[in-house]
Amino acid sequence: MSRRLRLAAEWLALLLAYAALTGSAHPGNLALGALVAAGVLALRPPLPQAPLRRGPAAAALAALRFAARLAADIVRCGIQVTALVVHPRMPIRPGILAVRSGCRTPAGLALSAHAITVTPGELVVEIGRDGTFYVHCLDVEASARAAEADQARRCALLEGPGGGGEDAR
Amino acid sequence: MTALLQGLAIVAILVGTGFSVVAVAGYIRLPDVYCRLHAAGKVGVFGVTLLLVASVALGAQQPGKAVLLLLFLVLAGPATSHALASAAYRMGLGPRAARRNDLPPPPPR
Amino acid sequence: MNAALQFTLQAALAIHVLLIAVCVVRTWRGENVVDRLLGADLIGALTVAVLVLLSLLRATPMTIDIALSIAALGVIGTLALAKHLAGRGRPEGGA
């Protein structure tokens, strides 16, 4: 996508968000929203390149699968963590795991770190220089079994299958 | 229809309140800062989300706005959790209760 | 408004206020700075919940907007304080 097209899409998204937040489609309000959106675009720092290097249809499908999987994980782990906390003896086994991220782009790294942290019971404490996630888990033994495979699946959805030696950007 | 929506709102409020209680119980009971972060993060994601669902069901708020606010909470919540965990790590507060620790000690400054 | 709904809202409001009181005590006696900051963040989240419940109970939609601005400012405040603590280095004394 060219730079101009991308800027226009970002501007439109901001305008839509403004309209939804103020809840009115009055022309004067929309004009003010257009100005505010332009101001935000002028002031914000440049965003990293989108990590998806596929056609738009495949990219949208992968994003949808990523979001659906994430929502299911949040609900499942939320219930598990609740059960751990209200259990009378609190059978937690906390610990910090090193998980290889395998991400090739900064945006992929940020999105998968966010996905890990937003899931209850797992929390990224630090990201090493080589892109290793240090993940604090409430149940370190259960997380250790699944962590590497989960991260590989996240990366495949975010950055496309296979490692082509593409570097950031 | 109204009765159904009110029933949905009641269930959402009850479950949301339950999550808030669990979060505070976790903040008090769990053994170290890193563990408590897991419990405290849940109020933002579950508690407030379910209260927003209730307010949309009761017609007190437009759905579009609620979706935007939900998106903001889900995006910003993990950022604060990570910032607090990172601050604890850099201040040298180790995970006392940890069974296993792959994280090297923070660089001295 | 339906009586069951009204009762649920009032009960939830009472529970949240109680939780805030518990959190204030726990934050006061917190064991280190990050622990206290986490407690303050939790109090902020519970305050947002209280304001949303109040707006539903009193039928004043504007209170929800106030709640959400508090949520947004709370996130920024916690992030800024955490970054400040991370940059300051090790705590002095038995924190």
Side-chain angles (χ1 to χ4, degrees):
Chain A
M1 207 188 290
S2 78
R3 208 179 114 70
R4 259 155 208 267
L5 203 60
R6 214 178 129 195
L7 261 182
E10 283 167 4
W11 177 79
L12 197 64
L14 284 174
L15 179 56
L16 280 178
Y18 180 88
L21 268 182
T22 52
S24 111
H26 188 275
N29 186 39
L30 285 186
L32 181 61
L35 277 181
V36 171
V40 169
L41 279 184
L43 289 177
R44 67 107 218 260
L47 295 176
Q49 196 71 248
L52 299 163
R53 303 220 167 168
R54 281 156 285 184
L61 187 67
L64 212 62
R65 278 178 58 197
F66 184 77
R69 180 76 190 222
L70 187 58
D73 275 353
I74 290 175
V75 172
R76 187 172 50 83
C77 295
I79 293 168
Q80 278 174 3
V81 170
T82 305
L84 280 179
V85 171
V86 298
H87 191 284
R89 279 185 296 103
M90 226 170 35
I92 56 167
R93 291 174 291 189
I96 297 184
L97 279 180
V99 179
R100 217 162 35 81
S101 73
C103 291
R104 304 181 296 268
T105 60
L109 199 70
L111 281 173
S112 43
H114 174 266
I116 292 174
T117 307
V118 82
T119 313
E122 293 185 352
L123 167 64
V124 175
V125 177
E126 186 71 18
I127 302 178
R129 282 191 192 286
D130 53 347
T132 307
F133 291 148
Y134 293 98
V135 186
H136 185 272
C137 317
L138 271 187
D139 189 344
V140 74
E141 283 154 46
S143 296
R145 281 195 291 274
E148 293 271 341
D150 279 353
Q151 178 54 29
R153 179 179 45 74
R154 258 181 229 117
C155 253
L157 281 179
L158 283 171
E159 300 188 331
E166 308 167 67
D167 52 3
R169 223 158 251 270
Chain B
M1 193 59 197
T2 321
L4 195 69
L5 284 179
Q6 285 198 344
L8 177 67
I10 289 178
V11 172
I13 291 169
L14 287 179
V15 179
T17 308
F19 272 112
S20 297
V21 172
V22 169
V24 174
Y27 175 55
I28 293 171
R29 289 186 74 192
L30 287 169
D32 71 12
V33 176
Y34 298 92
C35 297
R36 286 177 197 140
L37 276 168
H38 293 288
K42 283 213 300 283
V43 181
V45 176
F46 283 102
V48 181
T49 299
L50 285 165
L51 288 181
L52 280 178
V53 169
S55 70
V56 170
L58 292 175
Q61 202 179 23
Q62 295 139 342
K65 191 160 148 186
V67 168
L68 274 181
L69 295 165
L70 179 59
L71 216 59
F72 173 75
L73 285 174
V74 170
L75 283 177
T80 44
S81 293
H82 165 72
L84 285 171
S86 179
Y89 165 64
R90 278 160 208 276
M91 288 177 71
L93 304 167
R96 263 183 326 198
R99 295 271 185 104
R100 167 177 173 181
N101 188 358
D102 293 349
L103 184 62
R109 47 185 82 221
Chain C
M1 195 190 294
N2 181 329
L5 180 60
Q6 181 128 23
F7 177 75
T8 313
L9 283 173
Q10 281 167 348
L13 190 59
I15 293 174
H16 275 96
V17 171
L18 198 69
L19 287 180
I20 290 183
V22 171
C23 259
V24 168
V25 173
R26 180 62 183 70
T27 305
W28 189 272
R29 308 192 330 196
E31 54 190 64
N32 57 50
V33 191
V34 180
D35 200 45
R36 290 202 174 112
L37 190 49
L38 176 59
D41 193 44
L42 198 53
I43 293 171
L46 290 170
T47 310
V48 171
V50 164
L51 283 173
V52 173
L53 287 170
L54 265 183
S55 87
L56 292 180
L57 205 55
R58 299 262 177 86
T60 48
M62 205 185 76
T63 317
I64 292 190
D65 294 340
I66 297 172
L68 295 159
S69 1
I70 290 184
L73 288 176
V75 166
I76 293 166
T78 310
L79 273 179
L81 281 170
K83 291 294 276 183
H84 172 71
L85 286 177
R88 205 183 56 173
R90 289 161 188 278
E92 316 82 330

